[in-house]
Amino acid sequence: MEFLVSILIFIFGLIVGSFLNAVIYRLYKNKTLMGFSACPRCSHRLFPKDLLPLFSFLWLGGRCRYCKKKISWQYPLVELGTATIFTILARQILFLGGSLDLSASNLLGLGFGLIFVSVLIIIFVFDFRYYLIPDIAIILGTILAMVYRLTIPEISLKSGLYGMLVLVGFFGILFLVSQGRWIGFGDVKLGVFLGLMLGFSLSVLMLGMAYVGGAVVAVVLVLFKKKTMKGVLPFGTFLTASTVAVFLWGEQILNWYLAYF
């Protein structure tokens, strides 16, 4: 049963990942989510056989069926990444006690978690590719996080508000002191969503992981001459990646840290 559920969630994640790719592209182009999908290179309409998540990319050799131009690796990577994260999250929630538990509270928590992850993936890819964080994603994420805090009895609203204050306060100070050179205002707004979602302790943990991860990546890029020390790195990608990691394994990381020290 666990294997079957994992497969179904993985397939569902691939489908959602394909949808997220469309959302990212249409947000950037200021297009509505309605209407048919089309190749971004030749604008040829894409049919269901062209849109099978992951498999169409592999079957077509990473090229458009019609114009033969290369398809961005973003598409299969987002689909695969979404499916993998969905599967890990579902297994953690639905099989927490060792057997399948489809209780209402578990399904509600899983639903919130899957939507959180989807919003984070949109922000991650958007900031990575375009150095922008879409306001609509932050607004929707913030509303969802507030509903999450008010709906799940075990989740403290106070912790979410403290987490929001920590992240917004910290990013706001950096933004003001540097006059926007160290961090963009989009990261300040992103702190509202992430703080509400994670709560106080996990927000602090996420912040530390994001800065350590950003520093490591920056050093590697400088060593391989891909960036200079004055180069710009999209910090929203580190924040969202760290948030996903903390959302999945934050409690285990905190327990390990406290036990170790």
Side-chain angles (χ1 to χ4, degrees):
M1 179 61 72
E2 184 173 353
F3 178 75
L4 177 60
V5 171
S6 298
I7 291 297
L8 292 176
I9 293 293
F10 188 85
I11 294 173
F12 177 65
L14 288 176
I15 296 171
V16 173
S18 179
F19 173 72
L20 296 183
N21 274 318
V23 171
I24 292 165
Y25 175 77
R26 295 188 182 211
L27 275 178
Y28 182 67
K29 294 293 185 179
N30 291 317
K31 292 184 175 181
T32 176
L33 295 179
M34 304 299 292
F36 298 109
S37 296
C39 171
R41 300 293 187 89
C42 65
S43 299
H44 194 288
R45 177 183 170 183
L46 299 179
F47 297 94
K49 64 181 179 180
D50 307 312
L51 298 170
L52 293 174
L54 191 59
F55 299 105
S56 290
F57 181 87
L58 297 175
W59 180 258
L60 296 172
R63 294 180 180 274
C64 172
R65 185 190 302 273
Y66 308 101
C67 66
K68 306 304 179 184
K69 292 182 179 179
K70 289 184 178 181
I71 302 171
S72 170
W73 274 93
Q74 169 194 319
Y75 293 93
L77 290 178
V78 168
E79 291 164 357
L80 184 60
T82 304
T84 301
I85 297 171
F86 272 28
T87 304
I88 294 172
L89 183 61
R91 288 172 63 92
Q92 286 184 349
I93 295 176
L94 299 182
F95 292 92
L96 182 60
S99 58
L100 181 62
D101 183 357
L102 296 177
S103 63
S105 60
N106 275 2
L107 293 177
L108 184 61
L110 178 60
F112 275 115
L114 297 182
I115 300 174
F116 278 142
V117 167
S118 299
V119 175
L120 291 169
I121 289 173
I122 290 173
I123 295 173
F124 175 92
V125 177
F126 212 91
D127 197 34
F128 182 81
R129 290 206 63 179
Y130 310 120
Y131 288 71
L132 292 170
I133 299 177
D135 285 340
I136 185 63
I138 296 176
I139 293 171
L140 290 176
T142 300
I143 294 172
L144 178 67
M146 182 60 73
V147 174
Y148 172 68
R149 291 280 165 186
L150 295 173
T151 303
I152 309 295
E154 299 81 8
I155 304 299
S156 167
L157 175 60
K158 184 183 294 185
S159 177
L161 294 176
Y162 285 158
M164 179 186 70
L165 289 174
V166 167
L167 295 185
V168 173
F170 182 75
F171 295 151
I173 291 172
L174 289 181
F175 179 80
L176 292 173
V177 170
S178 68
Q179 296 182 335
R181 294 191 300 272
W182 298 345
I183 192 171
F185 191 66
D187 297 314
V188 181
K189 293 184 288 186
L190 180 59
V192 178
F193 164 41
L194 301 185
L196 274 175
M197 173 187 165
L198 294 175
F200 177 74
S201 58
L202 294 184
S203 291
V204 174
L205 175 62
M206 180 278 293
L207 193 59
M209 290 178 60
Y211 271 93
V212 170
V216 170
V217 171
V219 169
V220 171
L221 291 176
V222 169
L223 290 176
F224 284 90
K225 299 181 179 180
K226 298 295 183 179
K227 292 276 187 181
T228 67
M229 292 304 293
K230 293 183 179 180
V232 179
L233 288 171
F235 190 50
T237 60
F238 296 104
L239 291 174
T240 48
S242 298
T243 298
V244 171
V246 167
F247 192 62
L248 293 175
W249 302 292
E251 295 296 337
Q252 295 93 316
I253 295 173
L254 277 178
N255 291 335
W256 169 83
Y257 180 83
L258 293 175
Y260 184 79
F261 289 97

